[in-house]
Amino acid sequence: MCSPIQELDELRKNLPTTFIAGPRLRRNVATVSIVGLGPVGLTTAVAFATQGHQVTGIDIDERRRSEVARGEPPFYEKGLEGGLKRALRQKRLKIVDRMEDALRASTIVFLCVGTPSKPDGSMDDGPLRDATKSVANAWRDGKARTLVVKSTVLPGTVESVVRPVLEAAGVPFRIAVNPEFLREGRALEDALRPDRIVLGVDRPGTARILRALYRSVRSPVLVTDVRTAESVKYATNALLASKVSLANELANLCDYFGVEYDEVLRGVALDPRINAQFLVPGVGFGGSCFPKDVRALVAAGTANGYRPELFEAVLALNDRQYGRAIALLEKELGDLAGRRIALLGLAFKGNTDDVRESRAVPIARDLVARGAMVVGYDPAAMDGFSKLVPDVRRAKSVEEALKGADGCILQADWPAFSRLTAKDFVKLMASPVVVDGRRILDPKKMKGVRFHRIG
Ligand code: UDX
């Protein structure tokens, strides 16, 4: 028996180079339906179409369906619009209104519906249950097909929610969990060239079907059981979120000790057991995955009699980390009432228009509560952010946001912000006080700027 790590190394060495024929694939082209055209579903649909499969996309939201059918992704994602237009033009992707037709015509159906948080942090499985019911209804013709859950679901969900619905309908089915590891802003790239493919399957035949579907992707494939695949996704996000909080905790301590975090990390990363990726400190993590998934894990553990205190701390630290950026502004400017503060980057990170759990939200609300006048700018997230925090003034450019400002917080790592120079701040701002919440600027090049970052 070798360890899981050795097995993975073996998998990496023996990347699948030959096509493993799936029983339901003719001419290596699969007919796939994607239920749910959000960031994950639409990216997956475009990726499969790009790989030559015949894809049908379905969504309960009529407006979303028509936007996608016109070749307009309802959100910003690098490369997606081009890929979508190409897939539609080549007729590899079609968007349909009648769910049943698509579900019947495909041999593999991917569920990519959302698994939002309930107010107590636990996972709401309602959309998943509803989507499974639609699949079950459409599959009453007796043909055996494969249902793949790509939505992020807690371990045990497929067995307790999805399988019972299909069984109650009496339809034949195969079932699998195939979690996604898509980073917003690079989602299409990640879908086309994933670092790994995890297939949690009910039986070996299901694995063969899915390996055939992914035949053109040269990535390690881990075939495992359904519950383990569900767990891999949560474990990955919980670990990555913990790394960010760990970096923030260390950086906060570095501030107290008066040492430079980057130098400490450099020394630490020489230890081959420590991987320096995802250890960039700042104002904390946001987005649609980390906060939601770690909260769901905490809620599920607690409900099952185990309180995951480490993950509770990861969230608690993240909730207050943004405050350090405000404290640095206050250190320079004193009372912030009446001060004009430029907030650069309103999305939860650069290269996306997603404002879900963006740290810009608590930063802006806190500044406004202190009586500051906040001027926000983001290359893609202005509208989404204004709906959440209407009190923030909207600037049309970085320059407009910085003009006359007493202080500035950089909240997202947009490339346009990393090109800012000391001259820009000195020329435009009333007082050049800059807090870099994402470590995108080089402090050595910030002559004449009262420049701060965490750690
Ligand atoms: C994440 C996972 O990376 C992806 O695999 C999963 O499928 C979905 O969740 P995403 O939410 O797009 O992807 O963002 P990511 O790039 O991972 O960053 C998450 C948050 O952590 C951002 O707010 C980012 O600014 C922050 N972060 C990341 C840090 O503060 N420091 C780091 O070192 C890395």
Side-chain angles (χ1 to χ4, degrees):
M1 268 303 266
C2 56
S3 73
I5 299 292
Q6 285 166 326
E7 263 179 47
L8 256 185
D9 284 345
E10 275 305 299
L11 279 169
R12 284 207 174 92
K13 265 190 258 154
N14 304 312
L15 287 177
T17 47
T18 48
F19 169 58
I20 305 159
R24 289 172 201 288
L25 290 184
R26 266 200 265 139
R27 297 191 310 279
N28 299 353
V29 174
T31 49
V32 185
S33 278
I34 307 285
V35 181
L37 298 173
V40 171
L42 185 54
T43 307
T44 305
V46 171
F48 281 143
T50 305
Q51 287 157 358
H53 298 300
Q54 209 55 54
V55 185
T56 309
I58 309 156
D59 198 292
I60 48 167
D61 182 338
E62 197 188 324
R63 192 168 143 196
R64 173 157 293 203
R65 283 199 305 268
S66 50
E67 281 172 353
V68 174
R70 285 199 304 272
E72 295 163 13
F75 42 83
Y76 174 79
E77 185 61 58
K78 201 170 110 199
L80 192 61
E81 190 170 344
L84 171 63
K85 288 204 157 89
R86 197 166 43 247
L88 292 168
R89 202 171 50 239
Q90 294 174 340
K91 303 208 177 334
R92 293 230 175 93
L93 170 64
K94 70 170 189 270
I95 307 300
V96 295
D97 291 332
R98 274 183 51 94
M99 199 178 258
E100 289 212 345
D101 298 346
L103 292 175
R104 241 174 241 150
S106 335
T107 53
I108 307 172
V109 172
F110 277 80
L111 293 186
C112 300
V113 295
T115 47
S117 298
K118 289 190 198 162
D120 64 356
S122 63
M123 188 189 90
D124 180 359
D125 58 30
L128 185 75
R129 203 180 283 276
D130 293 345
T132 311
K133 281 185 191 153
S134 303
V135 172
N137 279 333
W139 281 3
R140 286 184 196 273
D141 59 5
K143 284 187 201 151
R145 301 176 177 96
T146 306
L147 182 63
V148 188
V149 177
K150 213 178 233 315
S151 307
T152 299
V153 293
L154 279 165
T157 305
V158 164
E159 292 307 317
S160 64
V161 177
V162 181
R163 180 181 279 280
V165 172
L166 294 170
E167 279 173 352
V171 297
F173 63 90
R174 295 168 185 274
I175 205 159
V177 168
N178 171 215
E180 49 80 22
F181 304 100
L182 309 178
R183 291 161 298 176
E184 288 186 32
R186 294 188 200 176
L188 189 56
E189 203 181 306
D190 285 347
L192 291 169
R193 278 175 291 278
D195 49 23
R196 82 276 214 199
I197 296 169
V198 176
L199 303 174
V201 293
D202 58 347
R203 61 191 108 162
T206 312
R208 278 198 294 278
I209 292 171
L210 294 177
R211 290 189 75 146
L213 178 70
Y214 282 112
R215 73 192 179 281
S216 63
V217 182
R218 285 183 53 82
S219 306
V221 180
L222 179 74
V223 177
T224 182
D225 60 81
V226 164
R227 198 177 273 247
T228 305
E230 292 171 320
S231 309
V232 168
K233 170 72 188 200
Y234 275 91
T236 304
N237 279 355
L239 256 161
L240 290 172
S242 302
K243 281 189 92 170
V244 177
S245 276
L246 192 71
N248 285 330
E249 184 105 285
L250 286 170
N252 297 346
L253 285 168
C254 283
D255 280 339
Y256 293 116
F257 294 136
V259 290
E260 181 61 43
Y261 172 87
D262 288 358
E263 277 305 296
V264 175
L265 183 66
R266 214 163 279 147
V268 166
L270 289 172
D271 185 328
R273 293 166 301 178
I274 298 174
N275 170 345
Q277 281 186 58
F278 253 75
L279 286 176
V280 181
V283 289
F285 58 78
S288 63
C289 292
F290 289 178
K292 170 176 82 74
D293 294 350
V294 182
R295 266 184 226 132
L297 212 48
V298 168
T302 309
N304 284 291
Y306 175 76
R307 202 176 143 192
E309 287 179 77
L310 176 66
F311 296 144
E312 283 180 350
V314 164
L315 292 169
L317 179 73
N318 195 58
D319 283 345
R320 57 173 193 265
Q321 184 67 11
Y322 79 88
R324 298 192 71 86
I326 295 181
L328 287 168
L329 272 190
E330 260 182 336
K331 201 168 126 192
E332 284 286 352
L333 299 171
D335 187 0
L336 296 176
R339 298 290 200 164
R340 185 183 164 112
I341 308 296
L343 181 54
L344 296 185
L346 307 175
F348 81 94
K349 64 174 188 179
N351 293 312
T352 175
D353 60 357
D354 196 342
V355 292
R356 284 176 289 179
E357 304 274 351
S358 170
R359 298 294 83 201
V361 174
I363 291 175
R365 287 192 178 140
D366 194 320
L367 289 171
V368 169
R370 286 162 197 263
M373 195 244 277
V374 185
V375 186
Y377 174 71
D378 189 285
M382 296 301 296
D383 290 343
F385 187 79
S386 288
K387 282 187 201 131
L388 293 178
V389 197
D391 318 331
V392 167
R393 288 204 189 180
R394 296 161 60 110
K396 290 196 183 68
S397 62
V398 186
E399 291 73 21
E400 190 186 318
L402 287 175
K403 206 160 183 195
D406 301 301
C408 164
I409 296 182
L410 282 159
Q411 192 289 135
D413 53 350
W414 278 98
F417 302 158
S418 27
R419 289 195 288 271
L420 285 167
T421 63
K423 259 196 200 149
D424 296 323
F425 294 120
V426 173
K427 191 176 77 190
L428 293 162
M429 295 177 73
S431 62
V433 172
V434 175
V435 178
D436 180 355
R438 293 292 174 199
R439 259 181 156 66
I440 53 178
L441 297 174
D442 183 351
K444 288 190 218 81
K445 295 186 179 152
M446 287 294 132
K447 295 229 165 58
V449 178
R450 278 131 77 198
F451 182 82
H452 294 274
R453 48 187 206 173
I454 297 149

